[in-house]
Amino acid sequence: MKSVRTIYYPACLKRAAPARMRAGDQDSFENLKFSTFNKSDLLRFDNVLLTSNGVIFQNFKPYKALVNCFEQDFQKYWFRFLIKVLLLSKGRVLSGKEKYLLVYDNYSGPKGFFHWISDCLTRLVEIKDEINEYVVIVPFYFKNEQLYQETLSLFNIKRIEYIEEKEYFRISNMYSLNYIAPSGIFRPENVQKLRDHVWNKLEVKDLGSDKGEKIYISRAKASRRKVLNEEEVTTVLKNEYGFSIVYLEDFSFFDQVKIMYHAKYLVGIHGGGLTHIHFLKPGSGVLELRKENDFENNVYYFLADSLSVNYNYLFCEHNQISSSANNFDLKVEITELRKSVEDLLTL
């Protein structure tokens, strides 16, 4: 592996505290005010094995820097995983005449909306002017998922090579970018570049939205992580404050972006829907419904701050469904919701 060129150099960023930080929460947010970023490069790999979920093996060892959350889970079973791939998957050699570009990772999907937008498209946008030099490698499920087809169409890709579920590639000439920032942290200049690129490609400035400026993202149709008193919450937001209730799964990605561009205020539970902060305008506001006393899942605070979007939050009672930090349901206290919305509308 060697660096072709540097995309970003190491940096340290001081962030502002949330605009509506509540009394008693100062200490919890204090350690979040600084973000550090490592050097990010466009890399070339010679003679690698690539698995269908985007893990690179070189000399039978994983390239850790491009495995999302390697230390949290993958390092515990990577050797067993490699043996399983070699025994149960079919290998295919890709011609050395082409330059191949890896654009996804082990957290991209299926149903990896946040990680695809925030960890993968943020890298792709950095080489948007030269991407037509590469054959882009993506996994099999990209074929039938509208999200991936729509987002990839925003870039001038000359050809796509799909890697099947029980297949691995042997590649002599592969390229990829290091992560621009640790997952969920964000470099402001990078996410601003992605936002502007998507806006320009979709020409959102010239298109309207019938959903208005106040949007509540409902997860009522989702399989998990719901607002338990959703009906009460939506009644208040719609009837008292004029919010539109939006089920994002009813819209194409392109239409989702248009809705967000024209929104001024966004409310939603912690989850993939708030990834759309990427496409809000500077000066707009977001209210995140979060599980009580959780100061670990601050990705949307970081994202909002990086894009000059005003961030507000409301801690709510929750039922933890499983040991996974993000597998929970919330119950929103309506009096506190009203206060938080009124705060949001003054941001």
Side-chain angles (χ1 to χ4, degrees):
M1 180 274 297
K2 64 179 180 181
S3 173
V4 177
R5 64 181 174 88
T6 297
I7 306 297
Y8 289 105
Y9 287 94
C12 181
L13 172 67
K14 183 177 181 180
R15 297 183 184 274
R20 292 294 191 268
M21 187 168 60
R22 288 158 179 73
D25 291 348
Q26 289 88 342
D27 291 342
S28 298
F29 276 100
E30 187 66 33
N31 65 340
L32 303 176
K33 290 184 180 180
F34 294 91
S35 297
T36 57
F37 306 106
N38 294 327
K39 186 167 172 276
S40 180
D41 295 284
L42 175 63
L43 304 171
R44 172 176 171 162
F45 296 85
D46 296 322
N47 302 314
V48 296
L49 183 155
L50 177 68
T51 70
S52 62
N53 66 341
V55 178
I56 301 168
F57 284 92
Q58 198 162 34
N59 298 321
F60 297 102
K61 291 185 179 179
Y63 183 69
K64 301 176 184 179
L66 286 178
V67 179
N68 209 330
C69 297
F70 178 87
E71 294 181 355
Q72 286 86 338
D73 49 28
F74 193 69
Q75 69 171 345
K76 301 173 186 176
Y77 64 87
W78 71 262
F79 184 74
R80 297 195 308 273
F81 171 79
L82 174 60
I83 296 301
K84 184 177 179 180
V85 167
L86 293 174
L87 290 177
L88 301 180
S89 300
K90 181 179 179 180
R92 180 152 60 103
V93 178
L94 298 188
S95 168
K97 297 179 182 180
E98 299 276 14
K99 293 166 62 177
Y100 293 94
L101 179 68
L102 176 67
V103 299
Y104 71 104
D105 65 16
N106 57 308
Y107 269 36
S108 297
K111 299 182 179 179
F113 181 76
F114 169 82
H115 291 284
W116 171 242
I117 302 296
S118 300
D119 297 330
C120 298
L121 290 191
T122 48
R123 288 182 282 165
L124 200 55
V125 75
E126 295 294 345
I127 58 170
K128 62 182 176 63
D129 295 328
E130 60 196 89
I131 197 169
N132 62 344
E133 301 173 11
Y134 300 91
V135 175
V136 168
I137 301 174
V138 296
F140 61 97
Y141 53 82
F142 276 38
K143 295 178 185 178
N144 301 315
E145 291 282 344
Q146 185 179 6
L147 164 67
Y148 299 113
Q149 294 296 323
E150 286 189 279
T151 48
L152 287 175
S153 73
L154 297 171
F155 300 89
N156 186 25
I157 297 172
K158 72 171 184 178
R159 184 164 68 85
I160 292 177
E161 189 76 47
Y162 293 97
I163 181 169
E164 299 300 326
E165 183 174 13
K166 292 188 177 181
E167 185 177 44
Y168 62 86
F169 287 165
R170 292 191 181 275
I171 311 172
S172 60
N173 187 23
M174 191 184 79
Y175 295 77
S176 188
L177 276 75
N178 277 338
Y179 289 110
I180 304 301
S183 185
I185 304 298
F186 308 107
R187 280 187 187 251
E189 58 268 50
N190 170 242
V191 289
Q192 290 166 17
K193 186 180 296 185
L194 175 62
R195 176 200 62 197
D196 293 346
H197 176 72
V198 174
W199 281 356
N200 290 335
K201 280 289 186 178
L202 297 182
E203 301 178 338
V204 290
K205 295 179 182 179
D206 300 325
L207 299 171
S209 169
D210 61 359
K211 299 302 177 184
E213 293 187 334
K214 301 175 183 177
I215 303 296
Y216 171 72
I217 299 174
S218 174
R219 287 183 62 90
K221 297 182 180 181
S223 60
R224 65 187 183 98
R225 200 182 312 125
K226 297 173 181 286
V227 174
L228 296 173
N229 55 334
E230 169 96 352
E231 185 175 352
E232 189 177 13
V233 167
T234 55
T235 296
V236 168
L237 290 175
K238 183 177 181 179
N239 295 343
E240 297 183 24
Y241 298 102
F243 276 75
S244 294
I245 313 304
V246 173
Y247 307 91
L248 291 176
E249 51 267 73
D250 293 344
F251 299 90
S252 69
F253 173 75
F254 292 170
D255 286 335
Q256 292 171 13
V257 173
K258 293 169 190 174
I259 290 170
M260 296 304 154
Y261 175 81
H262 293 283
K264 188 174 181 180
Y265 304 104
L266 181 66
V267 178
I269 185 174
H270 177 91
L274 290 184
T275 306
H276 287 87
I277 292 171
H278 273 288
F279 310 114
L280 293 175
K281 287 182 286 192
S284 55
V286 61
L287 171 62
E288 179 183 11
L289 306 177
R290 302 177 56 167
K291 68 178 184 178
E292 55 198 344
N293 302 317
D294 177 13
F295 291 99
E296 295 181 1
N297 288 313
N298 282 289
V299 296
Y300 299 116
Y301 159 57
F302 290 131
L303 181 56
D305 181 71
S306 297
L307 290 165
S308 300
V309 171
N310 296 301
Y311 174 83
N312 201 359
Y313 62 96
L314 175 61
F315 286 133
C316 306
E317 293 181 17
H318 74 285
N319 293 336
Q320 195 71 34
I321 308 301
S322 71
S323 58
S324 170
N326 286 325
N327 194 7
F328 58 84
D329 295 327
L330 292 183
K331 183 177 180 181
V332 180
E333 208 288 314
I334 297 301
T335 300
E336 293 300 317
L337 175 65
R338 288 190 174 99
K339 291 179 182 178
S340 296
V341 171
E342 288 165 10
D343 276 346
L344 177 69
L345 298 180
T346 63
L347 289 175

